[in-house]
Amino acid sequence: EIRTPKIVKEGAEGGANIFSLDYFGQKAYLTQSPQFYKEFCTGVFERVFEIAPVFRAEKHNTSRHINEYTSVDIEIGNIASFHEIMQFEVGALQATFRHLKERYAYYYHLLKFEIPEISFIAAMKFCECKELLKTNYGMDFSQDPDLSPSEEQKICEHVKRETGSEFIFITHYPSVKRPFYAMDDISNSEETLSFDLLFRGVEITTGGQRIHDYEMIIAKMKRR
């Protein structure tokens, strides 16, 4: 017996709405993330990346999100710490900005925008960030397991004033806010080995270490 496979491209787990469409009489979705395909490939190639369009059926009348964009998605195998991912990202951004300055100076001078300088990117734990915002700015959103737009803007202003950098890694987001496959910190299971990179008050990347142990990920799925 020959069965026709069901063509269903599921969206990412992040909660964004998806664009559904009729694909030759079957239901399909525009891609949100190549995540699962990258994970499969990492076992063979160790480092995998994709640069491709992403579509999210979200309201985009905002300065913080757009519903269509080009994503750079990277997966790295055989790491000892999620800090390696952050270091990789710093190097990638430095190389990208250097390339733009060398090859496209005419355009950014014409458009009168500045390419950011990255000598280093500081990092701060999520709980430390919350405490700083509460102590220094009276912003008490300690019960929220995520950063609000106003908190992201304020912490970026603070970091730029204190260090001169327009970038900041916020690490160790609460486990309840991250997907089930995010690796929990061995010293505190309420925190994950994950991060967001903030730039000028907006989250521009998300990353972290995944659980790679079968028993560990099954146990976490059951807890959820």
Side-chain angles (χ1 to χ4, degrees):
E1 181 182 2
I2 299 176
R3 294 180 179 271
T4 303
K6 217 175 175 183
I7 303 171
V8 178
K9 172 63 181 78
E10 297 293 352
E13 84 301 314
N17 293 321
I18 52 183
F19 288 101
S20 62
L21 56 103
D22 182 279
Y23 188 78
F24 297 101
Q26 299 184 52
K27 199 166 189 179
Y29 303 96
L30 296 182
T31 184
Q32 286 190 6
S33 170
Q35 177 178 316
F36 297 121
Y37 302 104
K38 290 192 289 90
E39 288 181 11
F40 299 151
C41 292
T42 303
V44 178
F45 299 108
E46 190 169 332
R47 291 189 174 190
V48 182
F49 75 93
E50 179 193 79
I51 301 175
V54 169
F55 306 92
R56 297 194 173 187
E58 302 293 309
K59 294 180 179 179
H60 56 279
N61 184 21
T62 167
S63 62
R64 302 184 62 79
H65 300 284
I66 52 179
N67 67 333
E68 296 183 18
Y69 59 95
T70 300
S71 171
V72 180
D73 240 298
I74 301 169
E75 202 84 20
I76 305 174
N78 297 318
I79 60 171
S81 165
F82 79 111
H83 291 285
E84 291 183 43
I85 309 171
M86 295 159 64
Q87 293 167 1
F88 180 94
E89 187 167 327
V90 171
L93 288 171
Q94 288 173 330
T96 300
F97 293 159
R98 185 166 58 247
H99 178 78
L100 289 173
K101 286 184 176 181
E102 292 172 355
R103 297 290 298 274
Y104 301 103
Y106 170 79
Y107 296 101
Y108 68 79
H109 285 312
L110 178 67
L111 298 172
K112 298 180 180 179
F113 71 87
E114 293 183 5
I115 295 177
E117 293 285 346
I118 299 182
S119 56
F120 78 103
I121 297 180
M124 181 185 302
K125 278 190 171 186
F126 177 86
C127 60
E128 296 171 343
C129 178
K130 286 283 190 178
E131 185 60 32
L132 184 149
L133 292 169
K134 179 181 178 181
T135 303
N136 291 31
Y137 303 101
M139 303 177 72
D140 187 6
F141 300 98
S142 55
Q143 301 305 312
D144 190 345
D146 202 354
L147 293 176
S148 68
S150 59
E151 287 180 302
E152 290 178 341
Q153 291 165 3
K154 184 58 70 175
I155 197 64
C156 284
E157 291 172 7
H158 176 88
V159 169
K160 183 177 182 181
R161 187 165 54 250
E162 294 295 318
T163 70
S165 175
E166 294 189 281
F167 295 84
I168 177 71
F169 280 117
I170 305 298
T171 69
H172 295 82
Y173 275 78
S175 184
V176 295
K177 189 61 183 175
R178 292 307 203 203
F180 71 92
Y181 52 75
M183 178 76 77
D184 293 329
D185 191 338
I186 193 170
S187 63
N188 182 357
S189 62
E190 299 299 313
E191 298 178 341
T192 56
L193 301 179
S194 66
F195 63 85
D196 280 355
L197 180 60
L198 307 184
F199 171 64
R200 295 180 181 173
V202 177
E203 170 213 321
I204 60 171
T205 73
T206 295
Q209 188 169 351
R210 304 191 195 284
I211 297 174
H212 56 270
D213 179 86
Y214 176 79
E215 298 297 338
M216 190 183 296
I217 199 165
I218 292 297
K220 189 168 182 181
M221 289 170 68
K222 288 181 177 179
R223 290 199 303 273
R224 290 286 183 97

